[in-house]
Amino acid sequence: MARTNLARSMPRLSPTPAAPVVVSIGGSVLSTGTDDAEFLIRLADLLKGAGRERPLIVTTGGGRAAREYIDLGRKLGLTEVELDEIGIEVTRLHARLLAGRLGPPTPATPPPTVAEAVREVHRASPVVLGGTEPGHTTDGVAALAAVRLRAERLVNATRVPGLFDRDPGKDARATRIERIGFEEFKAIVDRESSDAAGQRFVFDRLGAAALARARIPLAIVDGRDLANLDRAIRGAAFDGTLVGGPGAPRSR
Ligand code: UTP
């Protein structure tokens, strides 16, 4: 009688991937004018590793380049919607740069919609996309992606190391808020951000409302500190602000 290799014939489950995560990378983190190529190479390596372990969607902002074109367009009398569309083009350009460095299976052309990114991510993680429609920012896109993907968390990699009680660029007494509830966060975003094309606040209104509604925690971290960004993506302790996570003040 032929001997069966039991270990080989037993049904096997493929390893369960970790829970989905979304990362929003500010344009001001992607292009600073200093060591951008080195940074993008290291960032792509980090995202490739994290994207192998879990479905990972990444959005890229437009930063300085988007604002320069938006300012120019504003002087030419373009409408706010047209300026938003210019911003979206720049965010998609950044997505193309990062996706190109990541290489297959990441789609080289950023998906035009959140729905398409969510469909793609289960076979091509990480998926990188830019903006989608006028009226919000790539933080909003990231939040909608997190909701559709049922993500465990959204990580906002930005140019400041968290949310501050006042603008740290203008006031040296500004202190970082370590934890905050969804409702209080939404109120701050509503107060501080604007609907104009090229707005500059750390997060946007659509994004804050979408995360609060779905109770998806948000980690706000300094995007240039890659070791810390990696910890936030993996759900380990990180340096920054946690919105709505365990231990965050209960929403009012
Ligand atoms: P960003 O996502 O870069 O936003 O989009 P931001 O907050 O201005 O800047 P950084 O990159 O985080 O520093 C740039 C602009 O593009 C338009 C908006 O005008 C936005 O301010 N945009 C972007 C949209 O209208 N819709 C989108 O989905 C994305």
Side-chain angles (χ1 to χ4, degrees), residues 168-217:
K170 290 187 191 145
D171 194 334
R173 288 169 304 166
T175 49
R176 189 170 65 196
I177 300 166
E178 305 286 326
R179 285 161 188 264
I180 186 169
F182 285 119
E183 295 309 318
E184 207 185 332
F185 179 65
K186 240 171 49 166
I188 294 177
V189 174
D190 277 342
R191 196 178 63 227
E192 301 290 337
S193 59
S194 85
D195 289 330
Q199 70 111 27
R200 288 224 71 181
F201 191 60
V202 77
F203 211 69
D204 82 1
R205 287 176 182 156
L206 169 77
L211 294 181
R213 190 170 178 220
R215 312 317 264 181
I216 296 176

Side-chain angles (χ1 to χ4, degrees), residues 26-28 60-63 66-67 70 83-85 87-88 91 130-139 141 159 196-201:
S28 42
T60 50
R67 261 183 299 276
I70 287 170
L83 297 175
D84 278 344
E85 281 167 344
I88 292 171
T91 62
T132 54
E133 298 110 46
H136 49 82
T137 75
T138 46
D139 292 336
V141 174
R159 62 182 186 287
Q199 70 111 27
R200 288 224 71 181
F201 191 60

Side-chain angles (χ1 to χ4, degrees), residues 9 52 57 70 75 81 86 97 113 147 152 155 159 177 195 209 218:
S9 63
R52 266 197 217 107
I57 292 182
I70 287 170
K75 285 182 193 140
V81 168
I86 285 174
L97 270 177
T113 64
V147 172
E152 197 167 57
V155 179
R159 62 182 186 287
I177 300 166
D195 289 330
L218 168 69

